Each structure stands twice: as C-alpha cells, then as structure tokens.
Amino acid sequence: MGFASVLRGVAGMLIGVGVAMIFPMLVAVAAGENSAGAFLFGSILCVIAGAGAYAAGIGDRGSAGFRDAIVVVLVWWVAVPAFAAVPFLAEDLKFADAYFEAVAAVTTTGGWLSHADAIETYSGTLWRAELQWLGGLASLSIAAAIFIRPVFIGIDTLLPPFSRGEADSSLRSLRNAIAALSSVYALITAIAFAALAIAGASTFEALILALSLVASGGFAPHEDGIVGFGAVVTWTAFPFIILGGVNFILLARLFRGFAVRGRDVETSAYLLILLSVGVLFWLLSDSAGAAALVQEMFNAASLMSTNGFIIGEKPTLIVAMVTAIIGGAAVSTAGGFKILRWLVIMRRSREELRRLVVPNIVTGASPVSIEFGVWMHFIVFTIVLAALVLGLAISGADFELATAAATSALSNTGPLISLADSDADGYAVFSEPVRWLLAGAMILGRLEAAVALVLLNRAFWRP
C-alpha cells in the first residue's frame, strides 16, 4: 500500500476542513456567539493534524492503487467527521451526538438530532451547510473517479471530463475529479444563491439553502422547513432540487461546452420516474387539481434527489420510502440505490423472463460477471436495510418510524422520518446506541455497499 500517498490525501482533506471552519468562526464572532473558540480550536487541530500527515507522507511519489484510494475514501466518510464534530461540542453536545451531527452533514443526509437546535445559531447553521456542500462535492468526485465503472454499476455511462486513471494513480484520478467538477459545482451553487436571494430569501438564508440544495442535503434554516420561506423561494429552489438527482458529468460537460460522449441512459429514466412518482403521489392523495399535482411533483423530485423536503399533502409513506431508495443518477449528490443499478436489474429481469417464455432465445445480455457488483450491492443494501429496521424495532420504535428512519439513513434522506412521525423534530427520539447504528448506515449509504463488503475481505488488504 502507498502509505505516503494516502497520508498526503488525508492531509489535504483535514486542511480543507480546517480552512472551512474559518468562515463560521467569523460568523460566530460577528454574531457574538460563544462558539468562535470551538471553531478556532477545531481549525487549528485540523491544520496541525493535516500538516503532520503531510510531513509523514513526504518522500515516496509512487502511484497509488485502487486500495489506497478506497482507504482515503473510508477516512473521509468515517474519520474526518470526528474532526468536523469539534465545533458542535460548543452546542453542549456529547461527542457521540456531535459525531452524529457531523456524519449527517458530511453524508448530506440532513438527519439532525433536532432541526430546531441545528438552526439555533448562525455559525452552527453555516457549518452544517458547509459540511453538506463539501460532502456533496466528495460524493460526486468519488463516484466519477472510482465508482462509475461497469464492475460497480454493470453498465457504461457518460465519460467524465477528466482521466479516470485506469493505468495511473487512483488518487490522482480522484484529484482530477475534484479539480474538474469543483468549478462547475461552485458555479451552480452561486447561481442558486443569486436566484434564491432575488426570490426574497435573506443573504444568509439564500447561502444556506444554496449550499444544501446543490448537495441534496435537505437543510432549510427555518423552523417550518422550506415552506417557511414562502412560495416564491420554494419554487425557485425546485429546479435546483431536480438538478440534485441529475448526472453531474452531463451538467459539467454542458457548462463547459464539451460534447456529451457516451450513452446517457439515466437522465431520461430519472425524469420519467420523477413524473410517474409525482402522478402516483397525486392519485394516492386526498387532493385534486393542478396545484396539488404540481406540489406532488415537487415532493417526488425532492425524495428522488434525497433532499427530503415535503410541501402540501404528505405522500404515502411506503411510496415515499421506495422513491428515496431509487435515488438519483450514479454521479449525483443524491443518495439511494442509484438509477443505473435499477436499469441493470430491470434489464436482467426482462431478459430472464424472456428466456422463461422462449427458452431458445439468444439475447445480447451483458456477462453476469459485469453485473455481479450490482447484485452484490442490491443484496447487501437489502440485508442492511432489513437489519436496521429490525434493530430499530427492537429498540422500541414503532414499525413505521423504524422503517422510515432506516430508509432515510441508508438512502441519505434525513427529513424522511417526518412522514412517519410528524412530531419528531429529529433523530433525538432514538437512544444513543441506535444513533450509532444510524450514523453507520449513513456512511454505508455513501461508501457503497459492494465496496464496504470488499473491505471485509482479508485478501483486499494483503500486499
């Protein structure tokens, strides 16, 4: 393993998080909040730890393989939230609770212990939104550099606007992804900020909403959620909610004026499913008319992009959970199972049904080996979801709340639990041991189940 390369990657992440803490620290000073010292301490801690990791990694400049890249990804989702949690300790949270908040932010789940407490201070609100934004960029870069290969998704998709380093360093590929996608990601955030500010949100509210919307974080700095900002702001956010589930490689190429190379089978499927789910929500609701239909389209886009905002009449819980599980494109800030994988499963199911009807038929099916990663992901995802529901139910939660919480954590759609318990302000309704399980599920939702399974294989760690 290229320890030097891994250490340099960890150093970059920690220093980046440390620098990001400066902005909420300045906000805390300006607002007279007592958390400024916690942000300063956290920033110094991150920079010192990052500098130490970089110094330890000086020397070897050899290429880093897939295993090294996976270790860096694992550190980002598991260890970095421990450093990001330091400022939350100023909110009188125990470390376990602060870590849960940080994981919920970095994984863009938006599953706070208490929504009211999450927006209580300006600095805490900004820090959560910043972590979501950074987590969204990480999700895009990791997917584009590592996970969008047939071995993981069973199908070819759009080529990213950078080299994925098939014959080069995997960590260099990850750096290329961040460099190629960050400018477009920031530009879309800036456009969202300007649009929301023009729509009537205050400068601070527009900033928080823009950071969270682009990351599909579902975080609104208002006690009533996004509807608290009024209809104009809510519907201004709608196109950005939709973009949260779209293949970002497509967006990056369009923004840069590049030709779209490769077959884009996701975008049309995404929009078709969104429309179908919106109509289904409307048919199952007690409301009628065009206004109700449009509201349900909003809810469908919000759940598919895993933002989790709900307006108007609440959709049926079971359909809402299935929608969140479907998720968005493979290279998007949305969580869930991902549309490409569903397309592979549906294609294989169709071909097997055809074989049952006409046993001698010859199809152009992809080799099973290419689809193996998809099926392993499906099996692990299903088993983990069932185990989570069982664990939450054993802990004392009623079945609806248990299924909603398990689904929201694994699909990274934190606000989903409000559909099961309208009185639940957040995940504080669960005990601390259960919240550790939910935090692990949030990380697993971003880490990819098939990759997590590989980590348990001793052969993967052998030199």
Side-chain angles (χ1 to χ4, degrees):
M1 179 181 291
F3 287 107
S5 298
V6 171
L7 287 171
R8 289 194 295 270
V10 172
M13 293 187 296
L14 290 176
I15 292 173
V17 171
V19 171
M21 287 185 188
I22 295 175
F23 302 104
M25 181 191 71
L26 296 176
V27 169
V29 171
E33 298 170 356
N34 61 7
S35 59
F39 280 105
L40 177 60
F41 175 76
S43 179
I44 294 173
L45 179 64
C46 287
V47 172
I48 291 176
Y54 184 82
I58 292 176
D60 180 20
R61 292 288 175 178
S63 63
F66 175 76
R67 180 172 53 185
D68 304 286
I70 292 299
V71 170
V72 171
V73 170
L74 188 64
V75 170
W76 169 257
W77 294 126
V78 178
V80 168
F83 288 87
V86 172
F88 294 137
L89 298 176
E91 299 179 3
D92 295 326
L93 296 176
K94 296 186 299 182
F95 178 77
D97 293 338
Y99 183 77
F100 181 90
E101 291 280 303
V103 168
V106 171
T107 59
T108 74
T109 303
W112 319 119
L113 293 169
S114 167
H115 179 75
D117 291 342
I119 61 174
E120 185 177 6
T121 63
Y122 289 105
S123 59
T125 302
L126 178 58
W127 184 228
R128 286 172 173 84
E130 272 192 323
L131 286 176
Q132 286 193 332
W133 193 86
L134 292 172
L137 178 59
S139 298
L140 294 173
S141 302
I142 292 167
I146 299 174
F147 292 148
I148 57 161
R149 304 167 192 260
V151 68
F152 289 115
I153 60 176
I155 192 172
D156 289 319
T157 184
L158 296 177
L159 295 175
F162 60 88
S163 171
R164 288 189 299 188
E166 281 81 355
D168 204 346
S169 167
S170 295
L171 284 179
R172 185 174 294 113
S173 174
L174 190 55
R175 290 196 296 270
N176 291 343
I178 295 173
L181 302 179
S182 58
S183 58
V184 178
Y185 187 67
L187 177 60
I188 295 176
T189 305
I191 294 172
F193 168 73
L196 291 164
I198 293 172
S202 69
T203 301
F204 183 77
E205 292 167 344
L207 175 62
I208 302 303
L209 282 172
L211 291 172
S212 184
L213 284 173
V214 175
S216 296
F219 185 36
H222 193 284
E223 59 183 5
D224 295 325
I226 197 167
V227 295
F229 297 105
V232 177
V233 172
T234 298
W235 289 106
T236 300
F238 186 41
F240 298 101
I241 289 174
I242 294 177
L243 287 181
V246 173
N247 190 328
F248 199 84
I249 291 177
L250 175 64
L251 298 178
R253 287 196 169 277
L254 292 176
F255 269 83
R256 291 174 179 271
F258 293 165
V260 178
R261 294 181 297 173
R263 185 185 176 193
D264 179 21
V265 296
E266 281 186 296
T267 303
S268 57
Y270 171 67
L271 296 176
L272 179 60
I273 296 172
L274 190 156
L275 290 172
S276 301
V277 171
V279 171
L280 181 59
F281 282 166
W282 180 63
L283 292 174
L284 294 175
S285 70
D286 295 328
S287 302
L293 175 59
V294 174
Q295 288 179 336
E296 296 303 344
M297 289 295 177
F298 180 100
N299 293 337
S302 181
L303 289 167
M304 280 198 69
S305 66
T306 67
N307 271 284
F309 294 127
I310 300 296
I311 66 173
E313 183 176 339
K314 292 182 178 180
T316 305
L317 177 60
I318 184 63
V319 182
M321 290 191 297
V322 171
T323 304
I325 289 174
I326 291 173
V331 185
S332 70
T333 53
F337 191 79
K338 308 297 187 187
I339 291 173
L340 268 184
R341 291 193 177 99
W342 288 116
L343 292 176
V344 171
I345 290 175
M346 293 300 104
R347 180 184 63 186
R348 171 57 63 186
S349 299
R350 180 193 63 195
E351 291 169 354
E352 293 302 325
L353 287 173
R354 290 174 63 190
R355 288 178 183 274
L356 288 174
V357 175
V358 187
N360 295 327
I361 193 171
V362 178
T363 66
S366 299
V368 174
S369 59
I370 295 297
E371 299 174 356
F372 182 73
V374 176
W375 289 107
M376 288 304 301
H377 185 92
F378 177 79
I379 293 170
V380 175
F381 189 96
T382 304
I383 291 174
V384 171
L385 181 60
L388 274 174
V389 173
L390 181 61
L392 296 180
I394 291 175
S395 72
D398 65 69
F399 185 74
E400 279 198 353
L401 182 58
T403 53
T407 303
S408 64
L410 200 56
S411 66
N412 304 114
T413 318
L416 183 64
I417 64 167
S418 64
L419 296 181
D421 186 353
S422 58
D423 295 328
D425 182 42
Y427 287 74
V429 296
F430 299 104
S431 63
E432 183 178 311
V434 172
R435 292 200 297 271
W436 278 110
L437 286 176
L438 291 172
M442 294 176 192
I443 293 171
L444 183 61
R446 284 303 186 188
L447 186 60
E448 300 283 343
V451 175
L453 194 62
V454 169
L455 297 177
L456 301 177
N457 187 352
R458 286 184 296 176
F460 176 77
W461 299 105
R462 290 172 187 160

